[in-house]
Amino acid sequence: MSRLLYLTIIAISMWTCQSGPKVYNSYLEYPVYEGQDLGLNYSAEKSIFKLWSPAAEEVRLRLYDVALGGNAIGEENLKLGVDGVWETTIAGDQKGKYYAFQVKTGGEWGDEVPDPDVKAVGTNGRRGMIVDMAATNPEGWEQDQRPPLAGFNDIIIYELHVRDLSMDPNSGIKNKGKFLGLAELGTKTGDGLSTGLDHIKELGVTHIHLLPSYDFMSVDETKLEENKYNWGYDPQNYNTPEGSYSTDPADGAVRIREFKQLVKTLHDNGLRVVLDVVYNHTGATETSNFNQLVPGYYYRQDEAGGFSNASACGNETASDRPMMRKFMIESVKHWAEEYHLDGFRFDLMGIHDIETMNAITSALDQIDPTIFVYGEGWTAGASPLADEQKAIKANTMKLDRVAAFSDDIRDGIKGHVFTHDAKAFVSGLAGLEESVKFGVVASTQHPQVDYDSVNYSKAPWAKSPLQTVTYVSCHDNHTLWDRLAISCPEENEAERIKMHKLSGAIVLTSQGVSFLHAGVEMMRTKGGEENSYESPDAINQIDWARKGQYPDVLTYFQGLIQLRKQHPAFRMTSTEMVQKHLQFLPIEQDNLIAYTISGNANGDDWKNILVVYNGNAAYQTVDIPEGSWKIVLDGERMSEEGLGTIDAKELTVPGRTAIVLAQ
Ligand code: CA
């Protein structure tokens, strides 16, 4: 044997004996791990850590006794096991310690970050924390129950940012800007008007939709005294609450306990809780947990190999890759099981693929089929994902019990969202009638809607009314009141109040799931600011003085909500039911819509209901079916017993007013 051959054999045998990392040519080759135990598995006897990172060359874990800074008190090298999962076990009770992972790829170590599955973190989410989840439960948590919900058609959502409810100095709420502030009862303004949770209860909504309340990046949790504000659409750690909303961001158990306390208090007060989830992108891109631990995998790439950007936030995640899909499913399950959440609102849902969204609702069905899922059926930019796979509005019929926001009715009522001075139905612009009618039937197939004339959708997109979220305003863009001021500067306040009330009446009498932006019931203003995502509290907070300034508007919205809750005819459960019972009346005038809901629809105790929306400034007269009608809603208020009766062939409807009659 020549010396060269001998050395070659030695080299080959060394190479074959080495259990180094496998080289992958594409993310498609990455093994999929099916286990449910990624991340920390804590017990008082030991802590097991598992991290999926198939292409890593080395993985290490460092332990700390503080949330930020300090020196590591321990370091472990993880061993590669099956399916790309690295693992280590630390004996003894490690509760209270902090940890972070570091992965070596291409010969270089990445940043120290918590794993994507981390369930508890310290200040600014830089390190995971070893927490005994069972010890984070508030008193009575085992008895916590979701308030009853017979069907998604019963849902009336109130979209709220945690800080907005309490920051006003006049709110009377002690825990300002905190989860616990939203859980305070008996709070009042200086004038004795109820605020906070009491106010929401009096309004009568069924669900509170919280803007992002998972751990996000933009608020420095070491400087809470600065009271920095952000909506929170910049996710950092998906599976644990935001630290700045807790009373102690350093102790990872505190934010968990306080968020659970909030959920329990809302449940005890008859309200369900929805979390706004933003899996479509991460706040950081190169430095995110995802990218530091499994470079590139969790994101879609553009043609040049860089981060594609359908979120307009610098990256977009890849729900179509198995481990991202699995991550999303398990994350949603975690919030539903550990935190007893009742619904999820998916930000830019169009970035996710249909298969993933259906897998999520299927997983939630196993927990509780009354957990409601809805989302924005659009993207904020081009995505490499094929249109037919996207969970966009046009594909809603392929989604299992997932609802989408109707921008059709939103802009039909008040005007195109990006053309600030555009008028629409309530401000007297003709041509939006079919868009509003399309919203009345909750984006379903109805023989009397002329789909060619609908503003955006030229075909029905909802399988049933339960797939449409009906709204006119939300945290994005101008508040309804500001929009009406900008688009109707020539009108006085009294006229704009009429438009505002008419908008609310259209939303709350239309089929589908109703959705209200917090404060719309007291004509919330952000001083004309359109994108207040990082504006100060002074702009964003609910100004409780307005409750005293516009008591008639609040009473009107309360009446609309009661009307909807007491009358299932406004909450029909199927397309066929809407087709059978809801008939539009022939109308010649512009900006006027009239329809009947007849035959004790959906078990309603009213045999016939007549609804008229007049978006014109002047009164209009419509022919109505004969008989004696009870007036239950006019431009001023709702009365179940009736505000009077009408027995005529014609009904005169005042300008900018909704009228509801009943038999
Ligand atoms: Ca944070």
Side-chain angles (χ1 to χ4, degrees), residues 167-180:
M167 288 309 292
D168 179 359
N170 193 29
S171 72
I173 295 171
K174 280 206 299 278
N175 290 288
K176 288 193 169 54
K178 305 294 181 189
F179 292 132
L180 293 180

Side-chain angles (χ1 to χ4, degrees), residues 30 68 158 163 328 367 402 407 571-572 574 577 614:
Y30 280 24
L68 288 170
Y158 192 71
R163 290 181 75 87
M328 287 173 62
I367 298 166
V402 176
D407 53 344
R571 300 179 270 119
M572 287 188 268
S574 72
M577 200 188 279
N614 179 14

